[in-house]
Each structure stands twice: as C-alpha cells, then as structure tokens.
Amino acid sequence: MTIRLLVVDEHALIRLGMASAVADCPDITLVGEAGSAAAALAAVDRYRPTVVSTGLLLPDGDGLALAARLRQRVPDLGVVLLSAVAEDGVLYRALDAGLSAYLSKSADTAALRARREHTGLLSQREHEVLRLMRDGTSLPSIAGRLGVRESTVKTYVGRIYEKLKVNNRAQALMAALNHGLLAVDAEAA
C-alpha cells in the first residue's frame, strides 16, 4: 500500500526537505504541502492523504490543535508531529491530540522511511500498563486498578522499558507513540 503524504510546516525549506527525504521511497507519494493549518485542512479535503506530517508551530495555530481537528474529520488518517521540541509537555499534548507518531526534526532520513508495525511488541497486560502510564497513573494506582502488587507493576514497567529500549516514562511514551502502540481509542478519547 502506498502512503499518500501531505507535509504541513510553516517553513518552505522543511517542506522541501521532507519532499526530498521521501522522493526515493517507492511506498510514499508526496501528494501535497501546506504552510498553515487552514491550508492543511483544505489540502486534506483536496488530496485525500493517508498520512499528514505537521510541524508544531504554524502561522495560524499549532500542529497539535491541527492534529486533533484532523482526527475528528478523518479518524483513520495518520498524523505525525515533526518537531524540534522534545519536552514531556509536548509529548503528552501529542498523545491527547491522537498523533500516530512523533519525529524529531533532527532524525535521519531512515527514520522517515521506517515502518512502524510493532503491534505485537508488548503483551496485552503491558499494553494496559502503558495506557495507564500514558494517562499519568502512578505505579501504586496502576497496581490497585489491575488488582496486582506494585512489584508486579514494576516488573511490567521494566519489561516495557526493555522492549522499547528506554529508561523512563516519558521516553517509553514517546517510543510507544512512534511504534504505533498508543493508538487512539475510546479510552484515550
């Protein structure tokens, strides 16, 4: 299946760079670009992309607000935040907006081309723990909700960190988002 990509960023050079980065990818077709949230909304209607890459800052709003609006209009649309900002607050806002992935502007082009098909990476229970972590639930509270000991939750968290190759909650959430492990569902809405 070919990915139909729409690139949204306030900077023309970023849009040009994205076009160049995906030019050699046979499974990605750049269908359009936009420099603002308003132009992006019109372009989604016009080009029918399967994935939208958006910058965090746009001249008429921000990429996270745009992502939330796009999710409401086209629930199956993949939305990737491309940002130089790597703060926990941005990550949590990205999760709330229902982003499919979060990619740093300093990432190499291989990261743009990588498939994010890791749904079998975590067990069902690890997914449960991860969703509760996403919601900001403390480890003792997770234990209470799942009816297990806190030490058991710590074991699950350790496994999640190991499988995602991370060291803390924020890194785990970012990695999970990038691997498509925190899909937008009724619990997240």
Side-chain angles (χ1 to χ4, degrees):
M1 178 176 130
T2 300
I3 295 169
R4 296 174 48 79
L5 176 65
L6 171 70
V7 176
V8 181
D9 198 281
E10 68 176 334
H11 301 289
L13 288 177
I14 297 294
R15 296 191 308 267
L16 181 62
M18 284 288 288
S20 175
V22 300
D24 294 331
C25 298
D27 60 341
I28 301 176
T29 300
L30 182 65
V31 295
E33 61 179 68
S36 68
L41 292 169
V44 166
D45 292 338
R46 181 177 183 190
Y47 298 117
R48 306 271 189 238
T50 53
V51 174
V52 172
S53 165
T54 182
L56 180 60
L57 302 175
L58 300 172
D60 57 348
D62 75 31
L64 296 175
L66 172 62
R69 289 180 69 188
L70 290 172
R71 277 284 184 218
Q72 288 177 330
R73 289 174 68 175
V74 188
D76 294 334
L77 182 66
V79 184
V80 177
L81 178 67
L82 185 63
S83 176
V85 179
E87 298 173 356
D88 290 355
V90 173
L91 173 63
Y92 288 114
R93 285 184 57 218
L95 290 168
D96 289 342
L99 282 154
S100 306
Y102 179 99
L103 190 63
S104 170
K105 286 186 176 180
S106 64
D108 62 21
T109 56
L112 293 173
R113 297 179 181 133
R115 297 274 183 172
R116 307 256 190 248
E117 303 292 333
H118 298 287
T119 54
L121 186 63
L122 301 179
S123 71
Q124 183 176 351
R125 184 61 99 168
E126 290 164 346
H127 276 283
E128 253 181 296
V129 170
L130 185 65
R131 282 191 298 270
L132 290 168
M133 290 170 59
R134 170 200 62 203
D135 296 340
T137 309
S138 69
L139 297 186
S141 295
I142 292 173
R145 289 181 72 174
L146 299 180
V148 299
R149 295 178 184 264
E150 186 176 350
S151 61
T152 302
V153 172
K154 287 180 181 179
T155 299
Y156 286 127
V157 170
R159 287 182 190 159
I160 292 167
Y161 289 0
E162 182 179 331
K163 289 179 178 181
L164 297 178
K165 297 176 177 50
V166 299
N167 298 313
N168 60 47
R169 183 183 289 228
Q171 289 174 353
L173 293 174
M174 184 174 294
L177 181 65
N178 286 338
H179 289 302
L181 298 173
L182 288 175
V184 178
D185 55 25
E187 284 182 54

